[in-house]
Amino acid sequence: DGGITQSPKYLFRKEGQNVTLSCEQNLNHDAMYWYRQDPGQGLRLIYYSQIVNDFQKGDIAEGYSVSREKKESFPLTVTSAQKNPTAFYLCASSIRREGLAGGWAKNIQYFGAGTRLSVL
Amino acid sequence: AQKITQTQPGMFVQEKEAVTLDCTYDTSDQSYGLFWYKQPSSGEMIFLIYQGSYDEQNATEGRYSLNFQKARKSANLVISASQLGDSAMYFCAMREGRNSGNTPLVFGKGTRLSVIA
């Protein structure tokens, strides 16, 4: 089945520890995204990558790092510099569609099931 | 300034009734796209419906329709014949940026819909 797999489903971080959230997709999508969701809030963009070996910071990138060495994978590391990491993390992906007249905006982002991170 | 505003933190609807979830947006672009997603308690985001800024007709997908009023910059989601399984968070989102299909979406804060039997 094609889809986006996030693991683990639940993760606990100790003080001063770095943790890595996994996101893998087999949809052959070019672009991948990481969002953070706090209780009662919408999604905020952490990082995104439109192509392998390239990524851009989102609105709340501080304390996070990413890599995009393979098309299928976009892991997110929550570093010890992120002082308030408790949140729900969602990974998404979409096909790259540049320059399609009239159709570029309708590039649906598909999401994984999310990882819930808590601090011990 | 918020790009996407959802003014209803929570809504209740009787089963089998229709409900409208509000969304207003702010952009200076002429070309943009608007999306609605559903988030059940499991957490996964499910795409529901899309409206392009140049689309002349309101989008429809089964029981979902979008009341798009471009001049008012609103894109309200209408769910007809509500079902208990429609109880969830609903998010409005926008993509702007000329000709860039992979610009990330900007999301509103969501509306929690509760369907009552």
Side-chain angles (χ1 to χ4, degrees):
Chain A
D1 279 12
I4 301 169
T5 302
Q6 289 188 242
S7 62
K9 190 170 182 179
Y10 299 95
L11 187 59
F12 297 91
R13 193 192 90 166
K14 294 180 182 178
E15 291 284 341
Q17 187 182 43
N18 292 355
V19 292
T20 297
L21 285 60
S22 170
C23 179
E24 304 275 332
Q25 54 96 1
N26 60 5
L27 300 168
N28 200 32
H29 285 175
D30 291 289
M32 297 186 74
Y33 314 81
W34 274 106
Y35 291 90
R36 169 179 170 144
Q37 185 179 22
D38 292 284
Q41 299 295 314
L43 279 64
R44 293 184 292 168
L45 181 69
I46 305 173
Y47 270 98
Y48 70 104
S49 167
Q50 298 194 15
I51 198 168
V52 174
N53 291 324
D54 186 49
F55 48 82
Q56 288 80 40
K57 291 182 179 180
D59 301 320
I60 55 166
E62 186 173 348
Y64 300 97
S65 66
V66 293
S67 62
R68 187 85 188 278
E69 297 176 1
K70 298 186 298 181
K71 188 176 182 177
E72 315 79 71
S73 179
F74 191 40
L76 173 74
T77 297
V78 184
T79 74
S80 56
Q82 173 49 247
K83 297 306 178 189
N84 184 21
T86 297
F88 188 54
Y89 291 85
L90 284 157
C91 178
S93 70
S94 64
I95 295 173
R96 185 180 188 185
R97 282 195 180 141
E98 302 295 331
L100 285 178
W104 66 270
K106 187 183 180 181
N107 194 1
I108 298 165
Q109 282 183 199
Y110 295 93
F111 285 81
T115 293
R116 201 165 296 277
L117 175 63
S118 302
V119 176
L120 288 176
Chain B
Q2 286 191 45
K3 291 278 188 178
I4 298 288
T5 302
Q6 295 181 252
T7 57
Q8 307 152 314
M11 290 279 287
F12 289 89
V13 64
Q14 202 75 33
E15 196 178 7
K16 299 179 185 176
E17 298 291 313
V19 62
T20 298
L21 306 183
D22 294 342
C23 172
T24 58
Y25 58 93
D26 181 24
T27 182
S28 56
D29 285 352
Q30 295 300 309
S31 185
Y32 52 88
L34 297 156
F35 301 75
W36 278 91
Y37 282 83
K38 172 183 178 181
Q39 186 180 44
S41 57
S42 60
E44 186 170 355
M45 298 283 283
I46 302 167
F47 166 73
L48 295 178
I49 195 166
Y50 166 82
Q51 179 84 43
S53 58
Y54 291 117
D55 293 343
E56 293 184 352
Q57 294 195 332
N58 287 343
T60 59
E61 290 285 348
R63 294 188 298 110
Y64 304 109
S65 61
L66 212 151
N67 183 1
F68 182 47
Q69 298 186 47
K70 194 170 180 177
R72 297 179 62 182
K73 294 188 176 178
S74 74
N76 299 338
L77 177 70
V78 180
I79 305 174
S80 62
S82 296
Q83 302 171 355
L84 295 177
D86 294 334
S87 295
M89 284 289 288
Y90 288 82
F91 291 95
C92 180
M94 177 173 65
R95 170 178 286 120
E96 54 183 347
R98 186 174 297 280
N99 227 20
S100 177
N102 283 315
T103 305
L105 299 181
V106 175
F107 287 82
K109 294 189 175 182
T111 295
R112 181 171 298 283
L113 177 66
S114 299
V115 180
I116 305 166

